[in-house]
């Protein structure tokens, strides 16, 4: 099933590139994705752009390789990379809820699949940052929110 979904996503991306080609069949210059500068909501599609592994260093990810789509109560992770070992996230759909900070000045947290606690998160400098304890050498993940570039129609 995962392979079918990946192949469908690849086909959709190929169709978008084909639709954006000029009359001489060259792709239009520029990035295929446009990112929101100051996102204010979690809901939407986000691309993992880098991860801070503390002493392990910072790893950057190619544009669009790893997508996370937040809906009101679920999160869909899609890895478009050919190398699944490179992904810090496992493909699939997860439930989540936002936990308010326990004290003033504290961070909100994301609780996944019914857990009582989770990583801190916030929207800073135009990015979603999910912090698994970077101060204590845990990973921190940085995402950019994708602006939809074409409209969809409900039938």
């Amino acid at each position: 099933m995962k392979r079918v979904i990946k192949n469908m996503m690849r086909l959709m991306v190929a169709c978008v590139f084909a639709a954006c080609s000029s009359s001489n069949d060259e792709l239009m210059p520029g990035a295929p994705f446009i990112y929101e500068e100051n996102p204010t909501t979690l809901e939407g599609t986000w691309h993992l752009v880098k991860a801070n592994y503390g002493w392990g260093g910072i790893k950057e990810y190619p544009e669009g390789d790893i997508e996370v789509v937040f809906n009101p109560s679920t999160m869909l992770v899609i890895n478009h990379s050919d190398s699944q070992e490179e992904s810090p996230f496992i493909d699939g759909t997860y439930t989540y809820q936002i936990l308010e900070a326990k004290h003033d000045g504290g961070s909100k947290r994301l609780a996944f699949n019914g857990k009582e606690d989770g990583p801190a998160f916030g929207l800073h400098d135009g990015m979603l940052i999910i912090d698994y304890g970077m101060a204590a050498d845990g990973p921190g993940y940085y995402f950019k929110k994708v602006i939809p570039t074409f409209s969809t129609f409900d039938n």
Side-chain angles (χ1 to χ4, degrees):
M1 184 68 176
K2 287 182 185 179
R3 189 169 222 67
V4 170
I5 292 172
K6 282 184 184 179
N7 287 336
M8 287 174 43
M9 293 300 293
R10 287 183 180 137
L11 179 61
M12 287 175 35
V13 168
C15 289
V16 169
F17 279 108
C20 293
S21 65
S22 62
S23 60
N24 62 1
D25 290 331
E26 291 180 16
L27 290 179
M28 294 173 67
F33 302 106
I34 300 171
Y35 295 112
E36 193 171 320
E37 287 187 33
N38 294 305
T40 57
T41 63
L42 193 59
E43 289 181 34
T45 300
W46 297 81
H47 288 170
L48 178 65
V49 293
K50 70 178 176 178
N52 182 345
Y53 293 106
W55 289 100
I58 293 176
K59 177 170 174 46
E60 293 189 9
Y61 290 88
E63 191 174 82
D65 253 14
I66 299 172
E67 283 185 311
V68 177
V69 181
F70 284 96
N71 292 308
S73 63
T74 61
M75 175 181 98
L76 172 65
V77 176
I78 305 166
N79 184 354
H80 297 285
S81 173
D82 292 332
S83 175
Q84 291 288 328
E85 304 87 47
E86 296 282 326
S87 176
F89 301 99
I90 298 172
D91 286 359
T93 302
Y94 305 89
T95 60
Y96 78 92
Q97 70 182 73
I98 297 173
L99 303 175
E100 294 298 322
K102 293 180 182 175
H103 55 80
D104 290 340
S107 299
K108 290 183 179 181
R109 298 195 168 273
L110 286 175
F112 298 106
N113 292 335
K115 292 187 178 180
E116 294 181 18
D117 199 9
F121 82 98
L123 299 171
H124 302 286
D125 296 326
M127 290 192 199
L128 165 63
I129 301 171
I130 298 178
D131 181 356
Y132 279 89
M134 286 186 282
D137 205 25
Y141 300 105
Y142 296 78
F143 297 84
K144 287 186 178 179
K145 190 172 188 178
V146 179
I147 296 174
T149 56
F150 56 90
S151 61
T152 58
F153 300 97
D154 294 325
N155 291 330

